[in-house]
Amino acid sequence: MSIHISAKKGEIAKVVLQPGDPLRAKYIAENFLENPRLVSQTRHILYYTGIYKGKEITVGASGMGFPSIGIYSFELYTEYVVDTIIRIGTCGAYTTDLKVFDILNVENAASESTYAKYAWEIEEELLPHQGSIFDVINETAKELSLVTNSTNIHSSDIFYRKNPAIPEIATKYNCPAVEMEAFGLFANAKYLGKNAATILTVSDIIPSGENISADQRETALKPMIELALEAAWK
Ligand code: HPA
């Protein structure tokens, strides 16, 4: 057990798929894993461990934002045997060049957040994915004939803001989309020498207001889930 995860040692696999939403973790466990076992439900942040094509995999939520993914990913890496976390989330596009349902494999996360600086004395505002899992995801996507975009993204503390203009940091680092967790995950993995990747499905186009409807979400996220599971399996 760790402070925020009640699974016993040995109940969490080496590879963890991490959506933001606990109910998405439940959906993935129940629809894609054999014999899924609920191993933690502290604060209703659900973690399941099950079997995918013979390999043990855990899927559990990160919650939203750096404070939340910072806690869960740190405890997974340090209190359990986890060596790889693949975040699977959604993002908002800053540009109509991206379309809803597009899949992004995050190369670097740019952030104005002080999370990495104050947690680990990591001063950079642009942090890369960690380890080789990013490349495994790209190779796996090719094998699955799935089009993915390797790209930088803006990892932000802010969902609602006064000024709708694209934030300066997103322009500076060529980030066509925004989410709220990758930078925190990459910072923890960098500090701890672990593997981390983030795969995102574009759920909304900010300039046009177009978005994936609630009932489209389940099917919309399926290709990303399958990509993450296949990469995790390798
Ligand atoms: N902003 C931040 N995070 C997001 C968004 C957004 O517009 N869409 C999905 N995750």
Side-chain angles (χ1 to χ4, degrees):
M1 278 172 78
S2 61
I3 293 175
H4 301 90
I5 301 172
S6 53
K8 297 189 192 82
K9 301 250 182 218
E11 287 185 329
I12 301 269
K14 279 186 173 178
V15 183
V16 176
L17 261 54
Q18 205 170 37
D21 177 358
L23 291 182
R24 197 159 299 141
K26 181 174 194 274
Y27 166 78
I28 296 167
E30 289 177 350
N31 291 281
F32 295 86
L33 299 183
E34 287 166 42
N35 301 324
R37 283 180 302 127
L38 179 63
V39 293
S40 182
Q41 52 183 327
T42 307
R43 290 177 183 243
H44 290 183
I45 293 285
L46 307 177
Y47 277 79
Y48 293 84
T49 298
I51 303 294
Y52 183 75
K53 296 187 176 174
K55 180 171 175 172
E56 193 170 72
I57 286 177
T58 294
V59 53
S62 65
M64 290 184 281
F66 306 133
S68 191
I69 199 165
I71 288 170
Y72 290 103
S73 62
F74 184 82
E75 290 183 18
L76 289 167
Y77 283 140
T78 59
E79 302 277 344
Y80 298 92
V81 293
V82 175
D83 57 33
T84 302
I85 297 177
I86 305 174
R87 161 166 155 68
I88 42 175
T90 57
C91 62
Y94 284 134
T95 161
T96 51
D97 291 346
L98 289 178
K99 307 291 173 212
V100 287
F101 306 121
D102 280 358
I103 297 176
L104 313 180
N105 188 9
V106 177
E107 197 149 12
N108 300 280
S111 190
E112 322 85 328
S113 167
T114 53
Y115 176 84
K117 178 176 172 185
Y118 287 109
W120 314 123
E121 298 176 359
I122 294 171
E123 300 284 340
E124 291 92 335
E125 54 184 14
L126 186 71
L127 291 180
H129 68 86
Q130 299 293 307
S132 56
I133 186 67
F134 168 89
D135 294 322
V136 174
I137 290 165
N138 277 343
E139 285 155 24
T140 309
K142 259 193 216 140
E143 287 160 19
L144 296 174
S145 303
L146 205 61
V147 178
T148 59
N149 244 323
S150 294
T151 184
N152 292 352
I153 51 112
H154 178 204
S155 248
S156 181
D157 271 333
I158 299 161
F159 190 88
Y160 297 108
R161 58 173 83 229
K162 181 176 175 183
N163 183 348
I166 296 173
E168 210 178 290
I169 193 161
T171 310
K172 180 174 173 188
Y173 292 109
N174 223 347
C175 303
V178 56
E179 55 81 86
M180 306 181 76
E181 291 81 20
F183 183 81
L185 173 63
F186 293 173
N188 279 3
K190 181 177 165 74
Y191 178 70
L192 296 167
K194 302 280 187 171
N195 303 294
T198 292
I199 315 174
L200 301 169
T201 300
V202 176
S203 60
D204 43 283
I205 310 293
I206 295 169
S208 68
E210 188 190 354
N211 57 47
I212 299 180
S213 66
D215 52 337
Q216 277 177 317
R217 251 164 224 253
E218 212 165 87
T219 38
L221 301 181
K222 232 174 152 186
M224 172 174 71
I225 293 166
E226 280 164 354
L227 172 59
L229 282 167
E230 285 291 319
W233 175 77
K234 288 190 171 170

